[in-house]
Structure formats: C-alpha cells, structure tokens
C-alpha cells in the first residue's frame, strides 16, 4: 500500500441522498421526456427537449455528482475550478438533450434507443470525469482504466434500460422503475468511477483557490426544490388535462 | 380509374377517418393519402382516393351526407386532365338517416361509459339490446371506436410512437385488459369470455364493440395509418375464443 494514497471516506447518509436526488431528477426528466414524441414539431418539441434534458443533466446527474463529492471525505483540502465545473454541467445537459431528442423523435426503434442511451450514458460519464478534472487539491489523480470502462458501461446500459421503460411502457409504475434504474445508471457510474480513481498526495502544500464543495449546497438545494416543484406542477397539470378529455 | 380529392370538415376527429374510409372502400375506391388537420371550423380531413368513375357520384353523395361531415368539397386530381373539376360545393345536410340516428344514440351512451369506466361492458350489452337491429353492428363498433380513442388520449398518449406490434402489446393489450381478461397470441388479441357472445342479438361475429375499441386505440395516435381490426374467430360462431387481428388499410 502506498503511504501517500488518499482515501475517500464515504458519508452513507449523503451517499443515499445523492442516489435519491438522481432518482428524483430522473423521474422529473422522464415525465417531461415522454411528452417529446407527442409535442408538435417546432418550438413546442424543442421546449420539451430542453426541459427534459436540463432536468436529467442538471438534476439527475450534475446535482447527484456534487452531493456524492460532498459525501466523500478526504484528508486534504479540495476545491473546484469554476470553468470546468460549469463545463461538466453543460456536457451532462447537452448529451441528455441529444439522447432524449433521438429517442423521442418519430417512431421508436431499437437503433434510436441504443443511440439515445449511448449518448446519455457517455454524457453521465463525461460529466463525472470533467467534474473530477475540476478538482483542485495538493494531490495527483490517476485512473484504473479497466474500472473506468466498466463505469461507462454501467452508465450506457442502465440509460438504455431506463429509456426503454420510460418511453415504451405506459403508467406511473414503469416510470418509477425507470427513474430508479436511471438513478442506478448515474450513481452506479459515479461510485464505480470513484473506485477507479487513485488520489496520491504530491507533497505540495498549494492553497486551493476554487470553489469549495460546500459552496454548491445552495445550488443543489435550488435544483432539488425546482425538481420537486416541476414534478408537482406536471402531476397537477396532467390530472387536469386528463379530467378534461371528452369522450 | 380516376383520382379524386375530398375535403371534409367535421366537429371531431375520433372515428372520422375510420367511418369515411370504410365508405370509400365500400364504393370500390382505394385511399391514397388521408390527412387530418385542425382548423377554426373543426377537423379537416383530406382524402385522396382512386377508383372507378361510375361510382363517383355515389361516393360523393355518401361522404357529403355522412352525419359526421359538416362541409364537403371535392376536386379531380391530376391523372385525368380532360375531366372537368367537380365544383367545390357546400352540400346541404340531408334529413336524418338511419346512421345519423345511431350516432345520436351512441352520443347519448358515451357519457355513461366515461362515468362507469372501466366497468362499461354491461352497459354496452344493455345498449345493444335496446338499439335497432338494423344498425346494431355499426352503432356498437362506433361506440367502441369512441371509447378506444378516449382511453388512448387519457392513459396512453404520452410516450414513444411505436410500430404496430409494439402498439398492440404496450397499448391495446393493457387497455383491453382494463375492460376484459385477454392475451396476445401470435400477434392477435384473444378474449376468452366476451360478453357480446351468446346474447342472441347477433347472427355472425358479435364483438363489434371490442373491435371498435381496438380500432380507436390504435388509430388515434395517427402514425400507424389506418388500421382495420378483424374478428377472425368468435365464440358466437362456435369458436373457443374471440380473436382479433390487425391489418393496415393503406
């Protein structure tokens, strides 16, 4: 065992919270996403894609990642580079929008499902590894590439399963199952990727100058509150619409 | 053979293409391009059709006087340049006919079906006992079409647009299971104990309401074209189970 290897001690409560946020974000995003195929082409469909992609990328993936990083207690000071952190959010949101647009456009086919799931899975992984690159600490970060490959595989396969359930099956239970699976895609990928990371103290005493993980608390709170608000709004609106449908 | 385009406006979309498409086919015509669009006046259905010239007046008369049609126009399409265009006309609605009468009766039944959903089959069997045998099959099928379209819009509209086989599996099957126990066998939907069999009301296959439900469920999304549902075996004709198969019309 290398004496300079730095370990991550996981706070189980925050780790569980990170999974819960990824499920909530996925549930919200998939509720929005199932409206994509029936939205009229043009502005309405673009809005549906933007909303679903933002909820999935920003809520299920980005917020989950930073709660999980808060759950990881390390014996060195860690801050985050603002630019790379913002880029990680853009990657997550952009890839989710692209993936959902592919799956939601036209008649559903296995090829579209594979393409959409691949984009979303790679987006989850891209967000994570960019977020890790944003870490500023007196340590070097290397990866076991075999475990990295496994983490990307988990993200892609679980994304495909989640999209299949959400788009093909109808009703609340399949949607909940889909969100739980998407939560596995995001969290499973994250914690597997953390196993791949080897953080070694490089002997420096450099002062970290970026944003501290704790500073993300307010942003994460706002995202979670927004997700809950959107879920409530969608539920009420769809109940109203359902009641107004004339036979 | 001539190509003709009909433009028909109606108050509602449900069952419109199915009803008018059936008339087109009964007159020996083939549907080329059915399109629907929403306008200020309601739903505009544009039907490009091809068929024998001798049946054109019959077809025009039957379409223009259909109870669902509010206005009607027709014009020749390119194939026969010498033929004079049929002048766009706003046909007056004819006096109430048998099919108009059954549509009125179905309209009266529909709110009851919505109120008692999903326990609607006893209501429909009762409706079949009261309605004139002259239009029993059509009325029952039309009621089914309307209920199927309503079920789709209510519970199955959100989500992927699927091919026929997946639509039957993911939409038609669970929707029909909310009405009666059924299963899929080799792509066909099988109902073991349809309440429409053995009532003494039908001489042939009897599950017109269930056929209509399936047509409403599968035709409402629009992306599958027009589907025709056939009852290939029926307990009313001595079969062990009632079987429904699905065929695209165009």
């Amino acid at each position: 065992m290398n004496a300079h290897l730095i370990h991550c001690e996981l706070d189980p409560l925050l780790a569980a919270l990170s999974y819960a946020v990824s499920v909530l974000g996925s549930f919200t995003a998939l509720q929005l996403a199932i409206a994509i195929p029936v939205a009229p082409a043009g502005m309405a469909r673009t809005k549906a894609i933007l909303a679903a992609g933002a909820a999935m990328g920003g809520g299920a993936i980005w917020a989950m990642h930073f709660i999980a990083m808060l759950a990881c207690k390390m014996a060195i000071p860690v801050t985050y580079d603002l630019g790379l952190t913002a880029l990680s959010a853009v990657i997550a949101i952009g890839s989710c929008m692209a993936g959902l647009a592919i799956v939601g456009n036209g008649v559903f086919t296995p090829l579209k499902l594979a393409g959409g799931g691949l984009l979303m899975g790679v987006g989850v992984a891209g967000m994570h590894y960019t977020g890790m690159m944003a870490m500023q600490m007196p340590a070097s970060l290397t990866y076991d590439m075999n475990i990295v490959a496994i983490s990307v595989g988990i993200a892609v396969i679980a994304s495909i399963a989640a999209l299949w359930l959400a788009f093909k099956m109808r009703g609340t239970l399949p949607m909940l199952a889909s969100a739980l699976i998407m939560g596995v895609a995001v969290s499973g990928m994250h914690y597997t990727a953390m196993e791949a990371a080897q953080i070694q103290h490089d002997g420096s005493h450099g002062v970290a100058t970026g944003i501290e993980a704790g500073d993300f608390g307010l942003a994460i709170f706002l995202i979670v509150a927004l997700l809950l608000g959107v879920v409530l709004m969608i539920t009420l609106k769809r109940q109203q619409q359902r009641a107004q449908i004339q036979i | 053979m001539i190509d003709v385009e009909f433009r028909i406006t109606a108050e509602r979309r449900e069952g419109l293409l199915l009803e008018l498409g059936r008339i087109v086919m009964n007159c020996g015509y083939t549907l080329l391009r059915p399109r629907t669009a929403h306008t200020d006046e309601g739903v505009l259905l544009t039907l490009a059709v091809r068929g024998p010239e001798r049946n054109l007046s019959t077809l025009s008369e039957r379409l223009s006087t259909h109870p669902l049609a509010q206005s009607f126009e027709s014009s020749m399409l390119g194939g026969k340049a010498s033929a004079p265009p049929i002048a766009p006309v706003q046909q007056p609605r004819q006096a109430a006919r048998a099919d108009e009468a059954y549509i009125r009766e179905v309209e009266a039944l529909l709110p009851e079906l919505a109120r008692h959903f999903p326990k609607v089959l006893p209501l429909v069997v009762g409706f079949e006992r009261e309605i004139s045998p002259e239009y029993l099959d059509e009325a029952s099928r039309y009621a089914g079409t309307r209920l199927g379209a309503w079920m789709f819009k209510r519970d199955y509209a959100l989500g992927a647009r699927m091919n026929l086989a997946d639509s039957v599996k993911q939409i038609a099957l669970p929707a029909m299971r909310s009405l009666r126990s059924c299963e899929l066998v080799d792509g066909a939907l099988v109902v073991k104990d349809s309440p429409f069999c053995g009532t003494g009301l039908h001489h042939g296959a009897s599950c017109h309401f269930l056929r209509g439900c399936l047509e409403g469920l599968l035709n409402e999304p629009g992306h599958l074209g027009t589907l025709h549902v056939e009852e290939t075996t029926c307990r009313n004709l001595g079969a062990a189970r009632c079987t429904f198969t699905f065929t695209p019309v165009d």
Side-chain angles (χ1 to χ4, degrees):
Chain A
M1 179 75 74
N2 191 322
H4 295 288
L5 207 59
I6 294 164
H7 293 283
C8 165
E9 274 185 45
L10 207 59
D11 179 331
L13 190 63
L14 282 174
L17 187 62
S18 72
Y19 177 70
V21 166
S22 68
V23 172
L24 173 63
S26 301
F27 187 78
T28 310
L30 294 170
Q31 286 280 2
L32 292 163
I34 55 170
I36 296 172
V38 290
M43 190 53 81
R45 184 169 297 180
T46 306
K47 276 184 188 170
I49 291 168
L50 290 175
M56 184 68 84
I61 301 173
W62 190 88
M64 178 273 153
H65 174 84
F66 281 99
I67 295 175
M69 292 313 291
L70 281 172
C72 173
K73 309 287 185 199
M74 291 191 289
I76 51 169
V78 179
T79 61
Y80 294 86
D81 178 86
L82 184 60
L84 283 172
T85 301
L87 177 64
S88 70
V90 170
I91 290 171
I93 293 170
S95 61
C96 288
M97 283 177 186
L100 291 170
I102 289 172
V103 180
N105 191 33
V107 175
F108 187 86
T109 64
L111 194 63
K112 284 181 184 173
L113 175 64
L118 183 68
L119 264 172
M120 280 184 48
V122 168
V124 173
M127 183 275 131
H128 174 85
Y129 289 106
T130 310
M132 294 298 284
M133 269 171 60
M135 288 172 79
Q136 294 177 332
M137 54 192 173
S140 61
L141 185 59
T142 56
Y143 291 101
D144 178 331
M145 294 313 286
N146 290 328
I147 303 179
V148 168
I150 292 169
S151 74
V152 177
I154 289 171
V156 172
I157 291 167
S159 296
I160 289 173
L163 287 175
W164 184 86
L165 268 173
F167 277 86
K168 275 192 86 167
M169 309 288 277
R170 269 35 178 193
T172 308
L173 276 180
M175 184 60 72
L176 191 59
S178 173
L180 291 168
I181 292 173
M182 196 62 209
V184 169
V186 180
S187 304
M189 184 274 147
H190 177 91
Y191 290 109
T192 307
M194 290 306 285
E195 283 300 307
Q198 290 161 347
I199 303 169
Q200 280 188 305
H201 203 297
D202 61 9
S204 70
H205 301 282
V207 179
T209 55
I211 306 167
E212 288 185 17
D215 294 339
F216 289 117
L218 180 63
I220 291 166
F221 168 77
L222 289 175
I223 288 170
V224 171
L226 185 66
L227 291 174
L228 285 169
V230 171
V231 166
L232 187 65
M233 196 184 71
I234 293 172
T235 307
L236 289 175
K237 193 178 167 194
R238 287 192 180 151
Q239 271 178 357
Q240 260 180 353
Q241 286 174 337
R242 193 168 179 266
Q244 284 170 355
I245 292 170
Q246 297 285 316
I247 190 167
Chain B
M1 298 294 250
I2 53 167
D3 290 359
V4 187
E5 184 176 271
F6 297 108
R7 290 173 296 284
I8 298 143
T9 55
E11 213 170 274
R12 53 173 80 237
R13 181 168 171 257
E14 293 81 13
L16 181 66
L17 181 57
L18 191 73
E19 286 279 310
L20 302 188
R22 201 178 296 146
I23 292 172
V24 168
M25 284 184 289
N26 288 345
C27 288
Y29 277 73
T30 309
L31 263 177
L32 301 176
R33 293 186 303 274
R35 293 192 308 272
T36 52
H38 290 275
T39 67
D40 292 341
E41 285 79 37
V43 176
L44 171 64
L45 174 65
T46 308
L47 297 173
V49 301
R50 176 175 296 158
E53 192 167 5
R54 66 178 183 283
N55 293 352
L56 180 59
S57 60
T58 308
L59 175 59
S60 300
E61 192 267 336
R62 291 194 61 192
L63 290 177
S64 64
T65 57
H66 192 279
L68 290 175
Q70 290 180 320
S71 74
F72 171 85
E73 288 179 15
S74 64
S75 57
M76 288 288 189
L77 290 175
K80 197 172 179 183
S82 59
I86 301 167
V89 286
Q90 188 82 23
Q91 298 263 2
R93 295 280 296 278
Q94 286 192 344
R97 302 180 332 151
D99 46 3
E100 194 164 23
Y102 85 63
I103 285 177
R104 267 205 312 274
E105 293 192 45
V106 171
E107 293 292 344
L109 169 73
L110 291 172
E112 290 300 306
L113 297 186
R115 195 170 303 127
H116 292 92
F117 183 82
K119 294 175 181 171
V120 297
L121 297 189
L123 286 174
V124 181
V125 172
F127 170 77
E128 286 197 343
R129 289 190 193 285
E130 289 170 11
I131 201 162
S132 163
E134 183 192 350
Y135 42 76
L136 168 61
D137 295 354
E138 287 81 3
S140 191
R141 187 171 173 184
Y142 179 61
T145 306
R146 291 289 297 275
L147 185 79
W150 179 74
M151 282 195 284
F152 176 83
K153 286 188 288 189
R154 193 171 170 265
D155 296 322
Y156 299 95
L158 292 173
R161 295 181 171 206
M162 293 176 278
N163 61 29
L164 175 57
D166 285 341
S167 297
V168 170
K169 191 176 173 186
Q170 305 294 348
I171 295 172
L173 180 64
M176 295 303 282
R177 275 186 176 154
S178 68
L179 303 179
R180 203 72 175 179
S181 170
C182 56
E183 59 186 347
L184 278 184
V185 179
D186 297 331
L189 190 129
V190 174
V191 180
K192 286 176 188 164
D193 58 345
S194 165
F196 300 102
C197 301
T199 58
L201 297 169
H202 303 270
H203 299 296
S206 62
C207 309
H208 302 282
F209 179 78
L210 300 180
R211 273 179 76 189
C213 277
L214 288 164
E215 286 174 336
L217 278 161
L218 295 169
N219 283 317
E220 183 59 26
H223 69 279
L224 294 170
T226 307
L227 283 174
H228 180 70
V229 178
E230 193 71 36
E231 189 178 11
T232 51
T233 69
C234 183
R235 276 199 312 130
N236 205 45
L237 293 171
R241 302 177 298 185
C242 303
T243 308
F244 300 87
T245 58
F246 311 90
T247 319
V249 171
D250 37 52

